Amino acid sequence: MATIDIEKFVKQYGPVRALHAVDLHIEDGEFVVLLGPSGCGKSTMLRMIAGLEEISGGVLRINGKPMNDVPSRDRDIAMVFQNYALYPHMTAYDNIAFGLRRLKVAKPEIDRRVRQTAELLALGAYLDRKPRQLSGGQQQRVAMGRAMIKTPQVFLFDEPLSNLDATLREQLRVEVKKLHMLLRTTTVFVTHDQLEAMTLADKIVVMRDGHVEQIGTPREVYYAPASLFVARFIGSPPMNLLPMQVAPNGMQLAADGLVITLDPERAADLHPGQLVTLGIRPKDLRLAHLQSGTDRHSATVMLTEMMGAETLMQVRLGNTELIMLVDDRDTAVTGSTIEIAFAPEGLRLFDAATGKAIASRRISRVA
Amino acid sequence: MKRGLGGAVIVVVLLFATLFPVLWTLLSSFKTLKDIVTPVPTLLFQPTWQNYADVLATPSVQHGLTNSAIVVGCSLGVGMLLGVPAAYALVRHAPQLKSDVLFYVLSLRFMPPVAIAIPFIVIYTDLGINDTRFSLILTYCLTTISTIIWLGVPAFEQVPREIEEAASLEGYTEFEVFRKVALPVAIPSLIGAILFTFVIVWNELLIALSLTSQNFTLPVVAASFTTMGMEVPWGIINASTILLALPPFLFIGVIMRFLNRFFRAAH
């Protein structure tokens, strides 16, 4: 069990800076997901924690102890790699036992723990096989077993599910979650898949170009994105984003004939004439008869996609196309005109110039 | 793919042209001199082991065989001991030097052997070790170390970096990672590299011919048979050729497998 403190992490590759003074505190037993598009520095950061990449600047502490100069073999960390990284010349059994052999654990004890781990991961029948005789999912389970068996202080996962097909990915995601609930080992998990991040994380760190955009619970990053980047990156279907301007009275947003009235508390953060981006999740665009007390807008249904219990509707409002997600029973026919309303609690405002959320702190309290 | 009849004929002709001399040598090595020099070649004859007995009883052959075994064994041993870790170090710790070092190492093989031999004779004579097994081992080490490095680099490049990282995260030191992970994974390719190197030095004639007069190796002995006296001892020449070719032949299957792996990995 361990806490991890990252202070002003910098990674420099020659003239290129891959990480810009990143700070992060990870609680004991916490499941933290580093999320971002490729090249954002998330894997680099993970490898710096593991000791596989040199720390160009800043301090890494595990349980309060500085780790910068400790080689990876002495950090008591286990890592699961994207391409599994199993030892091809060893059986699944030996792959899992390899770390314990180094610790000079007695043979019967190794055997007991390997079998116990294999049981937990449903690998019992495959222990005698070499990695190339195993499927991708089985290989990744062996890799997880190899990481678990040492009962390390910290688990690191580097996009462990991205080489698997969709069904397996879902299965293993659940297994990772269960394992964490069982073992409560401090975990850092890297992914570019926002759904994986949302389902697994206690805390999500959204990264972009070597900077941290937002740190928060899955709810916080979903409902109160700190920036336009986070708003675009999190959520599927994505958040609707509309460029608008604050009206002279300071109480309304206007664009293209579309006028949205704000509640006074929200309007207090704005000044007349300010350019903003309005964000609203597809679920918070409602059919007007289901939402009382707000402005109604006429919109044309352009396209509907039945997704099961819900239907995704692409509607045109003035010159803007919006996506809304409605209960399938409320769906409208393509080409028809419907009345829609913006749920006030779903409105998010971003400064158009900086891309940062306006008053997100107050909203995050709501979330 | 269907091959035409013409292609098949060419293959058969080429195979015959390549293999027939070898087969003829093998047959002749079991013939008496009378059967060999007869104007009408005989396919049916009384086989004899006499040629092999004569060859192995010849003092110069025994001496050459001993020398070859010692010289090739030692230079191959040194080549493995230095070349394999050097190849690994190049791949993992000095990748920026890799292409320069590989070119340098290969360029050692570009030089005609005689061009190397003459300066070496001078140096070895000055040091008082000319015409010794030691000086020949020293010279062959150039070949073995460079060839093993050259073929060892791709062998270690095939080892995924992540599995070494995984092992180091499991607490293994750098040397243990090399010995327990990198080496076992690379070993099938490395064995091919070592056998290939063995064949090169086992068959080496020109340097051995220039550097030795007393401590000659087996190829030198075999070459000298052709210039012995008036009556050419064909049986003995054939038998010694077969004996000389036997060790590389035994490894040829293994080498073919290695080359297959090598070229498949390149594509």
Side-chain angles (χ1 to χ4, degrees), chain B residues 40-215:
Chain B
V40 183
T42 50
L43 277 174
L44 295 171
F45 58 92
Q46 189 67 41
T48 172
W49 286 102
Q50 193 55 45
N51 294 323
Y52 286 95
D54 285 350
V55 168
L56 291 173
T58 311
S60 64
V61 169
Q62 290 171 354
H63 191 45
L65 193 63
T66 318
N67 283 338
S68 271
I70 292 173
V71 169
V72 171
C74 289
S75 54
L76 200 61
V78 173
M80 287 191 290
L81 219 58
L82 298 181
V84 171
Y88 179 73
L90 267 182
V91 171
R92 285 293 179 247
H93 297 286
Q96 68 280 10
L97 295 178
K98 205 176 62 198
S99 55
D100 288 343
V101 170
L102 283 187
F103 181 77
Y104 170 69
V105 151
L106 187 65
S107 70
L108 289 177
R109 311 276 315 128
F110 291 161
M111 269 189 285
V114 179
I116 304 178
I118 292 165
F120 269 135
I121 293 172
V122 177
I123 296 170
Y124 291 154
T125 309
D126 279 356
L127 292 173
I129 55 169
N130 196 30
D131 194 10
T132 59
R133 285 173 190 157
F134 178 68
S135 65
L136 202 53
I137 290 171
L138 214 57
T139 317
Y140 278 0
C141 278
L142 280 180
T143 302
T144 56
I145 296 171
S146 61
T147 312
I148 289 176
I149 290 180
W150 203 73
L151 291 171
V153 163
F156 283 116
E157 276 176 338
Q158 284 172 29
V159 180
R161 196 180 188 119
E162 288 86 355
I163 70 171
E164 293 183 21
E165 291 176 342
S168 74
L169 278 168
E170 295 203 78
Y172 287 92
T173 61
E174 268 186 76
F175 182 70
E176 286 170 322
V177 171
F178 169 69
R179 197 168 58 84
K180 294 191 170 173
V181 178
L183 203 53
V185 174
I187 208 80
S189 304
L190 284 176
I191 287 176
I194 289 161
L195 293 178
F196 187 75
T197 311
F198 166 80
V199 172
I200 290 179
V201 282
W202 179 264
N203 289 339
E204 205 290 321
L205 171 65
L206 284 172
I207 290 179
L209 199 58
S210 326
L211 286 186
T212 58
S213 55
Q214 306 285 317
N215 284 300

Side-chain angles (χ1 to χ4, degrees), chain A residues 308-356:
Chain A
E310 287 175 320
T311 290
L312 194 143
M313 291 205 294
Q314 233 179 69
V315 300
R316 177 175 282 276
L317 183 64
N319 286 326
T320 330
E321 292 218 348
L322 298 169
I323 293 172
M324 53 193 296
L325 205 54
V326 298
D327 192 301
D328 187 53
R329 277 164 294 209
D330 300 328
T331 184
V333 187
T334 307
S336 63
T337 303
I338 54 173
E339 295 282 302
I340 62 169
F342 289 65
E345 71 277 13
L347 296 180
R348 298 290 172 264
L349 294 172
F350 303 92
D351 189 289
T354 63
K356 297 277 176 241

Side-chain angles (χ1 to χ4, degrees), chain A residues 181-237:
Chain A
M181 284 175 5
L182 187 74
L183 302 170
R184 285 281 157 209
T185 309
T186 309
T187 302
V188 185
F189 188 106
V190 163
T191 182
H192 60 263
D193 180 340
Q194 51 103 14
L195 184 68
E196 229 166 80
M198 299 287 279
T199 48
L200 287 171
D202 294 322
K203 189 154 88 185
I204 295 180
V205 181
V206 185
M207 296 181 68
R208 174 202 194 184
D209 296 338
H211 294 277
V212 168
E213 284 278 319
Q214 186 172 9
I215 299 178
T217 64
R219 284 210 161 69
E220 281 165 359
V221 294
Y222 185 79
Y223 287 113
S227 66
L228 278 171
F229 175 81
V230 179
R232 284 197 194 97
F233 200 77
I234 305 263
S236 171

Side-chain angles (χ1 to χ4, degrees), chain A residues 280-311:
Chain A
I280 185 160
R281 294 265 171 218
K283 194 77 196 174
D284 290 322
L285 276 178
R286 307 269 163 80
L287 293 165
H289 67 272
L290 298 172
Q291 177 76 34
S292 58
T294 44
D295 303 336
R296 297 171 160 224
H297 309 273
S298 285
T300 317
V301 180
M302 309 295 292
L303 188 75
T304 64
E305 286 177 89
M306 209 287 218
M307 299 176 71
E310 287 175 320
T311 290

Side-chain angles (χ1 to χ4, degrees), chain A residues 76-321:
Chain A
D76 198 9
I77 280 174
M79 182 156 163
V80 177
F81 293 81
Q82 178 173 6
N83 55 7
Y84 325 132
L86 297 178
Y87 312 119
H89 58 301
M90 298 182 194
T91 60
Y93 184 101
D94 291 329
N95 263 283
I96 298 173
F98 192 58
L100 289 183
R101 295 208 172 117
R102 152 87 192 159
L103 299 174
K104 304 267 186 289
V105 179
K107 246 191 179 151
E109 171 68 6
I110 291 183
D111 191 64
R112 193 186 62 76
R113 279 164 73 177
V114 171
R115 303 218 174 264
Q116 189 188 18
T117 308
E119 181 93 2
L120 201 65
L121 292 164
L123 278 171
Y126 309 110
L127 283 176
D128 295 333
R129 297 204 191 162
K130 293 269 180 75
R132 65 170 177 278
Q133 297 164 308
L134 298 172
S135 70
Q138 288 161 351
Q139 287 187 44
Q140 197 55 298
R141 281 204 192 91
V142 173
M144 277 160 61
R146 183 176 69 179
M148 277 166 53
I149 195 158
K150 278 195 316 173
T151 53
Q153 295 208 45
V154 178
F155 267 145
L156 303 178
F157 289 87
D158 190 3
E159 308 218 20
L161 309 180
S162 54
N163 284 4
L164 303 171
D165 65 52
T167 326
L168 260 176
R169 195 154 54 210
E170 224 160 279
Q171 262 177 32
L172 272 173
R173 198 175 68 208
V174 173
E175 279 180 40
V176 169
K177 182 94 183 169
K178 279 187 187 159
L179 277 177
H180 182 251
M181 284 175 5
L182 187 74
L183 302 170
R184 285 281 157 209
T185 309
T186 309
T187 302
V188 185
F189 188 106
V190 163
T191 182
H192 60 263
D193 180 340
Q194 51 103 14
L195 184 68
E196 229 166 80
M198 299 287 279
T199 48
L200 287 171
D202 294 322
K203 189 154 88 185
I204 295 180
V205 181
V206 185
M207 296 181 68
R208 174 202 194 184
D209 296 338
H211 294 277
V212 168
E213 284 278 319
Q214 186 172 9
I215 299 178
T217 64
R219 284 210 161 69
E220 281 165 359
V221 294
Y222 185 79
Y223 287 113
S227 66
L228 278 171
F229 175 81
V230 179
R232 284 197 194 97
F233 200 77
I234 305 263
S236 171
M239 189 181 246
N240 294 296
L241 295 168
L242 300 92
M244 299 193 99
Q245 190 167 22
V246 180
N249 63 13
M251 293 299 289
Q252 287 173 320
L253 299 176
D256 255 355
L258 173 66
V259 176
I260 290 171
T261 309
L262 297 169
D263 56 65
E265 193 190 0
R266 185 86 54 110
D269 298 320
L270 305 171
H271 55 83
Q274 187 180 0
L275 292 172
V276 297
T277 302
L278 173 72
I280 185 160
R281 294 265 171 218
K283 194 77 196 174
D284 290 322
L285 276 178
R286 307 269 163 80
L287 293 165
H289 67 272
L290 298 172
Q291 177 76 34
S292 58
T294 44
D295 303 336
R296 297 171 160 224
H297 309 273
S298 285
T300 317
V301 180
M302 309 295 292
L303 188 75
T304 64
E305 286 177 89
M306 209 287 218
M307 299 176 71
E310 287 175 320
T311 290
L312 194 143
M313 291 205 294
Q314 233 179 69
V315 300
R316 177 175 282 276
L317 183 64
N319 286 326
T320 330
E321 292 218 348

Side-chain angles (χ1 to χ4, degrees), chain B residues 154 158 188-189 253-267:
Chain B
Q158 284 172 29
S189 304
V254 189
I255 292 177
M256 287 310 285
R257 265 180 54 203
F258 160 70
L259 288 177
N260 272 338
R261 179 193 298 264
F262 187 78
F263 287 115
R264 223 178 300 138
H267 286 297

